[in-house]
Amino acid sequence: MKVLVTGAAGYIGSTLCRILLSEGYEVIGIDKLLFGGESLLGLLQHNNFRFIKGDTYNTSTYEDLINSKTSIVHLAAVVGEPASRKIPEETIKTNLEATKKVISLAVKKKIKKFVFVSTCSNYGKCIGEKPATEEFELNPLSLYAKTKVQIENYLANDIKDKLNWTILRLATVYGISPRLRFDLTVNDFTMHAIVDKKLVIFLPRSNRPYVHVVDVAEAVDLVLKNMNLTVQEIFNVGDTKENYRKIDIVNKIKKIVGDFDVEFVKKGEDLRDYKVSFEKIKRKLNYKTIRTVSNGIKEIVFVVKNEIITDFDDKKYYNA
Ligand SMILES: NC(=O)c1ccc[n+]([C@@H]2O[C@H](COP(=O)([O-])OP(=O)(O)OC[C@H]3O[C@@H](n4cnc5c(N)ncnc54)[C@H](O)[C@@H]3O)[C@@H](O)[C@H]2O)c1
């Protein structure tokens, strides 16, 4: 089984490549190393791993490595609302134009399986208590989420059956990974609670679902292994029990690290507020997450308290 992973050096990609290799896949990673390539260091000795430094836009640099038996997991993107606001042209070029080029290549090569990694941010702001299922109307609030929705629509309406695609809408991810991000809620809050003994948060009652980075990688593996059940399907990836308000995350951190100051501010750019249902992936693929937000908090506490990372201000940990 050969898989091309775009965005292989990123937060999810660097964990996913390791899990796919441990499952016996041959993995080709491509990444333009926006946040450096240290996350690849433990992978490069692996006989079944090959890395190409490059932009997904330039398909000629990797098209010869793909044949009809290759699967593609497409992660490479400008990720997150702040990054898409800061570099909108780059967001459109990577998330729309380059993604369409990767899809065209996948169609041309008649590949077995294309997994498009999308986001639950597509639900935006949901009214009412009912968790959003895959059928809910999408309400993307940022350029980032708008580009994800456009590609979802492109696959469903333009590509249709020309390619075996699956769309995975991930909950907000947390936990440690070879490329660590401290701009994701659980990781960010936990690190600041320990380092600054203070958190500044807005919209403390806004809801969102959370999922561990290893559970995400395992969902991708499950999808690759169950093509018959996942072709032309959309799945939310997470666990319905892991929908939390920001204040719930703060309270979980307090339980683990002790008390710290919390300042509530009125202004904030991010207005997302949604609860999500993850019953479809459980029902169809028997998918279960193993880790919880509390596990993720403990991982970050370990990394910070043992000084495994100390340079928290380094821009490599932040997407914008
Ligand atoms: N982290 C989350 O909470 C989350 C939630 C939902 C969905 N996702 C999706 O998962 C995917 C990966 O997210 P992540 O958190 O690992 O982000 P990340 O920023 O850590 O990883 C993205 C990687 O893509 C690379 N990249 C960007 N543009 C590229 C290009 N044009 N060519 C080649 N490489 C390029 C970057 O260098 C980076 O290594 C994204 O598609 C994102 O939308 C992430």
Side-chain angles (χ1 to χ4, degrees):
M1 293 177 288
K2 188 156 101 175
V3 189
L4 175 83
V5 176
T6 71
Y11 177 62
I12 296 170
S14 57
T15 288
L16 176 65
C17 288
R18 283 161 172 82
I19 291 200
L20 295 180
L21 287 166
S22 73
E23 288 295 310
Y25 294 82
E26 188 187 330
V27 178
I28 305 165
I30 176 163
D31 200 297
K32 68 179 194 181
L33 305 184
L34 284 177
F35 312 103
E38 282 173 27
S39 62
L40 298 169
L41 290 177
L43 285 170
L44 297 173
Q45 311 92 327
H46 206 295
N47 288 337
N48 283 338
F49 183 71
R50 175 161 181 184
F51 179 68
I52 298 137
K53 182 180 176 194
D55 195 309
T56 44
Y57 192 84
N58 304 322
T59 45
S60 59
T61 56
Y62 54 95
E63 77 165 288
D64 288 348
L65 300 170
I66 298 171
N67 60 41
S68 63
K69 294 202 175 83
T70 315
S71 298
I72 297 180
V73 180
H74 186 49
L75 295 163
V78 172
V79 181
E81 186 272 331
S84 71
R85 190 160 23 93
K86 192 170 163 192
I87 46 169
E89 288 86 13
E90 189 59 33
T91 304
I92 287 165
K93 185 165 181 221
T94 290
N95 298 14
L96 292 180
E97 294 165 21
T99 297
K100 285 187 181 173
K101 286 185 133 211
V102 179
I103 293 169
S104 295
L105 178 64
V107 172
K108 178 173 140 194
K109 294 277 181 168
K110 299 185 170 46
I111 71 153
K112 265 176 36 187
K113 178 102 203 177
F114 182 84
V115 180
F116 176 60
V117 180
S118 188
T119 170
C120 287
S121 291
N122 295 350
Y123 297 115
K125 193 167 166 60
C126 289
I127 299 173
E129 270 299 294
K130 234 177 146 205
T133 63
E134 289 78 356
E135 287 75 40
F136 261 49
E137 197 181 327
L138 301 179
N139 182 18
L141 300 175
S142 62
L143 175 61
Y144 164 64
K146 283 177 184 154
T147 60
K148 291 287 179 181
V149 171
Q150 277 193 49
I151 295 297
E152 287 197 12
N153 290 339
Y154 179 70
L155 285 168
N157 304 326
D158 298 273
I159 296 297
K160 293 181 186 157
D161 293 335
K162 285 186 233 158
L163 178 69
N164 291 334
W165 52 261
T166 303
I167 294 167
L168 299 181
R169 291 184 189 145
L170 311 186
T172 299
V173 188
Y174 62 83
I176 53 174
S177 170
R179 189 236 153 183
L180 200 35
R181 287 183 59 185
F182 285 118
D183 56 356
L184 293 164
T185 310
V186 174
N187 299 356
D188 168 16
F189 284 12
T190 308
M191 183 273 280
H192 283 291
I194 305 171
V195 175
D196 306 332
K197 298 189 174 33
K198 181 177 174 168
L199 278 186
V200 180
I201 62 173
F202 62 93
L203 294 178
R205 294 183 193 285
S206 57
N207 287 282
R208 244 196 282 167
Y210 296 89
V211 66
H212 193 281
V213 63
V214 174
D215 283 321
V216 168
E218 282 167 357
V220 172
D221 176 37
L222 196 60
V223 166
L224 291 173
K225 286 179 178 148
N226 287 280
M227 198 165 93
N228 52 333
L229 298 173
T230 57
V231 163
Q232 320 322 50
E233 292 280 354
I234 301 174
F235 295 97
N236 294 331
V237 178
D239 182 330
T240 312
K241 291 196 291 295
E242 293 277 297
N243 282 289
Y244 295 113
R245 302 169 306 170
K246 282 188 207 160
I247 192 70
D248 301 325
I249 305 282
V250 169
N251 290 334
K252 281 178 184 292
I253 298 170
K254 283 190 173 182
K255 267 197 186 147
I256 293 166
V257 309
D259 204 16
F260 51 84
D261 289 339
V262 183
E263 186 188 339
F264 298 101
V265 290
K266 283 242 154 51
K267 252 181 78 177
E269 305 278 352
D270 187 351
L271 299 174
R272 285 174 295 168
D273 187 2
Y274 50 91
K275 284 186 189 169
V276 177
S277 164
F278 298 95
E279 299 311 306
K280 178 177 174 186
I281 190 163
K282 196 186 205 177
R283 197 176 57 246
K284 275 205 118 174
L285 298 180
N286 199 21
Y287 171 73
K288 288 187 192 79
T289 57
I290 307 288
R291 298 143 194 97
T292 62
V293 163
S294 295
N295 297 135
I297 294 168
K298 286 178 189 157
E299 288 178 5
I300 300 295
V301 170
F302 189 89
V303 164
V304 177
K305 292 217 161 155
N306 289 291
E307 299 176 345
I308 292 170
I309 289 177
T310 51
D311 54 345
F312 304 107
D313 293 334
D314 194 309
K315 58 182 186 340
K316 70 184 175 198
Y317 301 119
Y318 303 88
N319 278 16

